[in-house]
Amino acid sequence: MLGAITNEIARVIIALAGYVGLSKSEIQGLTWEAYDTEKGEIKVISGVVNGKRGDPKTKDRKANVPLIPSVRELLDLYRLRLGNPTTGVMFARAIGTPLDLHNVFARRIDPVLNACERCGKVKAKHRREDHEFRRRQDLAEWHGWHAFRRGLGSNLNDLGVLDLTIQRILRHSNVTTTRKSYIHHREHQVTAAWGSSKRGSKRRAGGRKQRTWKPRMITRKRSTDAGFRGRSP
C-alpha cells in the first residue's frame, strides 16, 4: 500500500499503523515530545477520540513502542520537512489540533486505492460518467485503520513470532485477546500444516509395516514426531 500512496503524511501514518501497531486514536494523540530520537521509540501516553484527548484504551497500551528503521526513517524525514519540531501535535491541522484520520483517508488514500481504473474518479463521484465504475485490481483493498493492527498480528505470526511476543508488541492486557482477534491463520499455513500431518502419518504407518519380530531385544532410537503440532488459536 505504501508504494501506491504518495502523500507524505499519509505514508508516515500508514507506517505507524501497519508496522508499529498504533491505533487510530493513538496516532491522532501523538506529540513530538513522545518521540525519543536517541532510542528510536515513541511513548504512547494518550489518544484522541472525536477531538478529545484522553488516556489510552487500557493501561497496557500506555508504553514505549520501538520503531523499526524504515518507519523511523519516514518519521525523521517528515519531521525534518516541518523544521525539526520538538513539541506539539505530531500530525496537526493548520490550527494546531490533531488531524482526523478519517479525513486523511478520504482525501489522501481513498482517491488512490478506490479510483476508477478508467477515469480516476472515486465511486462516490462516478455517478454521471458514461462508463461502469471498475476499481483497479492491482492495488490493496482498504479495510479500515484497525485492520493494520490485526494485519500486523497475523504477519508476525506468519513469520514465526511467539504469541506472547505479539501480545507485547500490540500491548494487549492478555494473550487471549491477541490469539482470538489479532492472529488470523492464513490458508497457506493451514495447507502446509495439513500436508505435514499427512506426511507424518504416512511415515509412521510405513514404519509399522516394515517392522519384523526378531527373537532378541531391540533398542529403539528416540525419534521426533514429524507430524503437525498445532497451537491453540
Side-chain angles (χ1 to χ4, degrees):
M1 184 177 293
L2 278 178
I5 304 300
T6 58
N7 179 262
E8 184 177 38
I9 292 178
R11 285 173 57 81
V12 178
I13 291 174
I14 289 173
L16 290 172
Y19 295 112
V20 185
L22 299 187
S23 69
K24 177 182 175 181
S25 61
E26 290 167 350
I27 293 173
Q28 291 175 160
L30 288 176
T31 62
W32 289 112
E33 291 93 332
Y35 181 32
D36 189 328
T37 56
E38 293 184 1
K39 295 182 179 180
E41 295 179 343
I42 283 183
K43 187 174 184 180
V44 177
I45 56 178
S46 64
V48 171
V49 179
N50 296 326
K52 297 181 179 179
R53 186 176 295 276
D55 291 331
K57 189 174 181 180
T58 65
K59 64 179 182 179
D60 294 277
R61 297 280 284 270
K62 187 180 289 188
N64 292 343
V65 183
L67 305 178
I68 61 175
S70 57
V71 176
R72 189 174 178 180
E73 183 179 347
L74 285 172
L75 184 58
D76 286 342
L77 185 58
Y78 166 66
R79 181 168 172 255
L80 178 63
R81 296 191 195 283
L82 294 179
N84 285 321
T86 56
T87 61
V89 176
M90 187 174 289
F91 303 104
R93 298 191 296 172
I95 59 176
T97 57
L99 280 175
D100 185 338
L101 264 60
H102 173 75
N103 292 334
V104 173
F105 167 72
R107 298 172 183 174
R108 307 297 183 185
I109 300 175
D110 190 37
V112 177
L113 298 184
N114 297 317
C116 175
E117 63 179 1
R118 180 173 173 181
C119 67
K121 292 185 178 181
V122 295
K123 194 169 186 178
K125 299 181 179 180
H126 197 271
R127 298 172 184 174
R128 297 182 179 180
E129 298 302 317
D130 59 358
H131 58 274
E132 180 182 358
F133 176 85
R134 183 173 296 177
R135 177 186 171 275
R136 287 182 56 182
Q137 297 301 308
D138 60 323
L139 298 179
E141 292 187 31
W142 180 261
H143 296 284
W145 288 107
H146 195 66
F148 286 108
R149 274 179 63 82
R150 295 183 186 276
L152 178 60
S154 295
N155 288 337
L156 292 173
N157 174 260
D158 206 2
L159 293 171
V161 178
L162 296 177
D163 293 357
L164 289 173
T165 303
I166 299 175
Q167 174 202 353
R168 292 190 61 183
I169 292 172
L170 296 178
R171 293 162 290 125
H172 289 145
S173 300
N174 59 75
V175 73
T176 302
T177 300
T178 309
R179 289 170 176 163
K180 183 178 179 180
S181 303
Y182 290 81
I183 294 178
H184 174 70
H185 296 284
R186 299 186 171 101
E187 187 63 29
H188 72 88
Q189 293 175 303
V190 177
T191 302
W194 179 244
S196 176
S197 178
K198 291 177 66 177
R199 289 193 298 272
S201 298
K202 288 181 179 179
R203 282 196 293 269
R204 290 193 294 273
R208 286 194 296 269
K209 291 179 181 179
Q210 294 173 0
R211 290 175 186 167
T212 57
W213 182 85
K214 294 182 179 181
R216 62 183 177 83
M217 183 178 293
I218 300 175
T219 303
R220 296 179 180 175
K221 293 183 180 181
R222 188 175 182 179
S223 61
T224 302
D225 184 2
F228 171 53
R229 297 176 181 237
R231 290 185 298 175
S232 59

PDB file of all heavy atoms in Angstrom, residues 25 40 53-54 56 58 64 76-77 85 92:
ATOM      1  N   SER A  25      -6.736   6.195  17.315  1.00  0.00           N
ATOM      2  CA  SER A  25      -6.759   7.204  18.381  1.00  0.00           C
ATOM      3  C   SER A  25      -5.356   7.508  18.892  1.00  0.00           C
ATOM      4  O   SER A  25      -5.041   8.655  19.226  1.00  0.00           O
ATOM      5  CB  SER A  25      -7.642   6.734  19.543  1.00  0.00           C
ATOM      6  OG  SER A  25      -7.149   5.542  20.118  1.00  0.00           O
ATOM      7  N   GLY A  40      14.923   5.723  19.431  1.00  0.00           N
ATOM      8  CA  GLY A  40      14.072   5.293  18.326  1.00  0.00           C
ATOM      9  C   GLY A  40      12.758   4.722  18.807  1.00  0.00           C
ATOM     10  O   GLY A  40      12.278   3.715  18.298  1.00  0.00           O
ATOM     11  N   ARG A  53      -8.859  14.570  23.879  1.00  0.00           N
ATOM     12  CA  ARG A  53      -7.692  13.804  24.318  1.00  0.00           C
ATOM     13  C   ARG A  53      -7.970  13.105  25.636  1.00  0.00           C
ATOM     14  O   ARG A  53      -8.564  13.673  26.553  1.00  0.00           O
ATOM     15  CB  ARG A  53      -6.475  14.730  24.474  1.00  0.00           C
ATOM     16  CG  ARG A  53      -5.170  13.998  24.793  1.00  0.00           C
ATOM     17  CD  ARG A  53      -4.002  14.973  24.821  1.00  0.00           C
ATOM     18  NE  ARG A  53      -3.779  15.557  23.509  1.00  0.00           N
ATOM     19  CZ  ARG A  53      -3.063  14.982  22.543  1.00  0.00           C
ATOM     20  NH1 ARG A  53      -2.507  13.795  22.762  1.00  0.00           N
ATOM     21  NH2 ARG A  53      -2.897  15.582  21.389  1.00  0.00           N
ATOM     22  N   GLY A  54      -7.544  11.850  25.722  1.00  0.00           N
ATOM     23  CA  GLY A  54      -7.732  11.081  26.945  1.00  0.00           C
ATOM     24  C   GLY A  54      -6.686   9.991  27.062  1.00  0.00           C
ATOM     25  O   GLY A  54      -5.748   9.901  26.254  1.00  0.00           O
ATOM     26  N   PRO A  56      -5.064   6.159  26.947  1.00  0.00           N
ATOM     27  CA  PRO A  56      -5.223   5.032  26.025  1.00  0.00           C
ATOM     28  C   PRO A  56      -6.312   4.071  26.499  1.00  0.00           C
ATOM     29  O   PRO A  56      -6.775   4.150  27.640  1.00  0.00           O
ATOM     30  CB  PRO A  56      -3.839   4.362  26.052  1.00  0.00           C
ATOM     31  CG  PRO A  56      -2.905   5.450  26.453  1.00  0.00           C
ATOM     32  CD  PRO A  56      -3.672   6.303  27.416  1.00  0.00           C
ATOM     33  N   THR A  58      -6.408   0.949  27.428  1.00  0.00           N
ATOM     34  CA  THR A  58      -6.089   0.213  28.650  1.00  0.00           C
ATOM     35  C   THR A  58      -4.741   0.688  29.164  1.00  0.00           C
ATOM     36  O   THR A  58      -3.976   1.342  28.440  1.00  0.00           O
ATOM     37  CB  THR A  58      -6.022  -1.304  28.402  1.00  0.00           C
ATOM     38  OG1 THR A  58      -4.926  -1.591  27.515  1.00  0.00           O
ATOM     39  CG2 THR A  58      -7.313  -1.821  27.787  1.00  0.00           C
ATOM     40  N   ASN A  64       6.240   2.438  25.901  1.00  0.00           N
ATOM     41  CA  ASN A  64       7.227   2.856  24.913  1.00  0.00           C
ATOM     42  C   ASN A  64       7.238   1.836  23.778  1.00  0.00           C
ATOM     43  O   ASN A  64       7.416   0.636  24.013  1.00  0.00           O
ATOM     44  CB  ASN A  64       8.621   2.946  25.534  1.00  0.00           C
ATOM     45  CG  ASN A  64       8.722   4.064  26.544  1.00  0.00           C
ATOM     46  OD1 ASN A  64       7.883   4.959  26.579  1.00  0.00           O
ATOM     47  ND2 ASN A  64       9.745   4.037  27.371  1.00  0.00           N
ATOM     48  N   ASP A  76      11.491  10.598  10.593  1.00  0.00           N
ATOM     49  CA  ASP A  76      12.541  11.617  10.708  1.00  0.00           C
ATOM     50  C   ASP A  76      12.530  12.567   9.512  1.00  0.00           C
ATOM     51  O   ASP A  76      12.763  13.775   9.668  1.00  0.00           O
ATOM     52  CB  ASP A  76      13.915  10.951  10.818  1.00  0.00           C
ATOM     53  CG  ASP A  76      14.150  10.317  12.183  1.00  0.00           C
ATOM     54  OD1 ASP A  76      13.421  10.679  13.131  1.00  0.00           O
ATOM     55  OD2 ASP A  76      15.055   9.465  12.300  1.00  0.00           O
ATOM     56  N   LEU A  77      12.275  12.029   8.331  1.00  0.00           N
ATOM     57  CA  LEU A  77      12.224  12.879   7.140  1.00  0.00           C
ATOM     58  C   LEU A  77      11.021  13.814   7.201  1.00  0.00           C
ATOM     59  O   LEU A  77      11.124  15.002   6.854  1.00  0.00           O
ATOM     60  CB  LEU A  77      12.157  12.004   5.887  1.00  0.00           C
ATOM     61  CG  LEU A  77      12.212  12.737   4.541  1.00  0.00           C
ATOM     62  CD1 LEU A  77      13.481  13.563   4.427  1.00  0.00           C
ATOM     63  CD2 LEU A  77      12.116  11.738   3.385  1.00  0.00           C
ATOM     64  N   PRO A  85      10.550  20.034  14.705  1.00  0.00           N
ATOM     65  CA  PRO A  85       9.871  20.438  15.945  1.00  0.00           C
ATOM     66  C   PRO A  85      10.144  19.440  17.070  1.00  0.00           C
ATOM     67  O   PRO A  85      10.368  18.256  16.823  1.00  0.00           O
ATOM     68  CB  PRO A  85       8.390  20.416  15.545  1.00  0.00           C
ATOM     69  CG  PRO A  85       8.322  19.409  14.439  1.00  0.00           C
ATOM     70  CD  PRO A  85       9.604  19.568  13.676  1.00  0.00           C
ATOM     71  N   ALA A  92      -0.789  17.439  12.720  1.00  0.00           N
ATOM     72  CA  ALA A  92      -1.696  18.521  13.104  1.00  0.00           C
ATOM     73  C   ALA A  92      -2.295  19.232  11.892  1.00  0.00           C
ATOM     74  O   ALA A  92      -1.714  19.257  10.801  1.00  0.00           O
ATOM     75  CB  ALA A  92      -0.946  19.539  13.957  1.00  0.00           C
TER      76      ALA A  92
END
